[in-house]
Amino acid sequence: MRLTILVDNQAGCGLQGEWGLSALVEQGEVTVLLDAGATELFAVNAQELGVDLDRVDAAVLSHAHFDHAGGMAAFFARNAHASFYVQRSCGEDCYAEHPGKELEYIGVPRGVLSAYASRIVRVGERVQVAPGFWLLGHSTPGLEEVGRASHMLAGPVDDLRPDDFSHEQSLVVELESGGIAVFNSCCHAGADVVVREAQQAWPGQRVRAVVGGFHLYETPRDQVRDFARRLGETGVELVVTGHCTGPDALDVLTRELGADVVKPMSCGLVLEL
């Protein structure tokens, strides 16, 4: 399996970065795009890297936030055939609530889901999208408490509720070399929870890697240390993280899990498993 980071917060390899994430995952003859960043920058970076987006076989939206869905229209303009897979509950209805400020819309760009409905496929908890490539929705109960704690809301403006992240999904790749790799772009439920869900769905399989942002950029260091312990207890062998993890949390994770385990993401990063 080959992983290429097209967009991350951290610039690299002469490429610009942004608050967002987009990655290309390749194995055998299958190429999957995970997310499309906040703007069309992922496509600009792809061109700089010599990546032809028209050869993408399937695209996946990890969850319904702008920094992962903002470039969807740009992808459709460059690829005329690949389906874009989203969770069944995915809508244009995600908000952030900040004390003393107006409600902030943080969802999929308005109109994208309807404008490209013929290209969008809605899926449930566990679906195979290509040989070796699976989508896994959350099975952990009580995730609305995560939404409440992070001041994230979902639903119609006149009936908002704490986000339960039912619109979030993991991309799980069954590696040709053995084991699985788990991709979840923001891991709102917690990367340890995401890995545990994959382990339940693929019992007995080594989790060779977990890849994504961990949404720890505002989390106190002592809580990050507790999280690092829980993540380490899953037995995951490689942690590739960036985007919403944050530099302080990345430092703690590296200290707790080891520099041989934790690999920071940046634009243009290429890894092979």
Side-chain angles (χ1 to χ4, degrees):
M1 185 203 77
R2 179 183 176 93
L3 165 70
T4 305
I5 303 299
L6 301 179
V7 156
D8 178 66
N9 297 23
Q10 185 65 43
C13 298
L15 305 174
Q16 293 184 19
E18 66 180 7
W19 180 275
L21 186 60
S22 179
L24 202 71
V25 186
E26 302 168 87
Q27 181 170 257
E29 297 181 354
V30 179
T31 300
V32 173
L33 179 75
L34 175 64
D35 291 340
T39 69
E40 66 175 9
L41 180 60
F42 84 99
V44 174
N45 286 351
Q47 183 173 358
E48 289 293 320
L49 291 169
V51 172
D52 181 5
L53 292 175
D54 190 53
R55 66 180 175 85
V56 170
D57 300 298
V60 173
L61 182 63
S62 64
H63 62 291
H65 286 172
F66 75 95
D67 46 339
H68 303 267
M72 287 178 70
F75 173 74
F76 291 128
R78 291 164 174 80
N79 182 302
H81 58 88
S83 295
F84 216 119
Y85 292 86
V86 307
Q87 273 288 298
R88 188 173 292 122
S89 66
C90 177
E92 298 168 9
D93 60 355
C94 292
Y95 297 85
E97 189 176 41
H98 306 288
K101 297 183 180 179
E102 292 185 4
L103 194 67
E104 179 187 9
Y105 180 70
I106 60 171
V108 177
R110 303 284 194 188
V112 165
L113 296 178
S114 57
Y116 300 98
S118 63
R119 301 281 304 277
I120 292 171
V121 178
R122 295 182 177 273
V123 297
E125 287 185 359
R126 180 175 174 174
V127 175
Q128 187 175 29
V129 298
F133 289 78
W134 295 78
L135 298 179
L136 185 68
H138 284 308
S139 57
T140 302
L143 294 183
E144 64 275 5
E145 294 306 316
V146 177
R148 181 176 286 107
S150 57
H151 307 288
M152 291 185 175
L153 307 171
V157 175
D158 59 354
D159 188 26
L160 289 172
R161 63 192 183 281
D163 198 336
D164 64 359
F165 302 105
S166 58
H167 55 86
E168 187 171 65
Q169 59 188 345
S170 297
L171 172 66
V172 180
V173 182
E174 297 172 332
L175 299 175
E176 293 176 341
S177 57
I180 59 175
V182 182
F183 298 79
N184 190 300
S185 298
C186 275
C187 296
H188 290 100
D192 55 322
V193 172
V194 166
V195 171
R196 294 292 189 195
E197 289 177 340
Q199 288 174 322
Q200 290 171 7
W202 280 266
Q205 290 279 5
R206 294 167 58 195
V207 181
R208 301 276 302 281
V210 60
V211 181
F214 293 169
H215 214 266
L216 298 171
Y217 66 98
E218 293 181 327
T219 303
R221 292 176 73 91
D222 60 333
Q223 293 182 29
V224 177
R225 280 191 289 271
D226 290 342
F227 161 77
R229 174 186 52 78
R230 297 194 305 273
L231 184 59
E233 288 172 351
T234 67
V236 63
E237 298 174 15
L238 178 66
V239 174
V240 185
T241 190
H243 179 42
C244 56
T245 297
D248 286 346
L250 179 61
D251 177 66
V252 173
L253 290 171
T254 304
R255 290 173 183 271
E256 295 295 319
L257 298 177
D260 56 331
V261 172
V262 178
K263 178 73 174 178
M265 288 197 296
S266 60
C267 295
L269 174 70
V270 177
L271 287 177
E272 296 196 14
L273 286 176

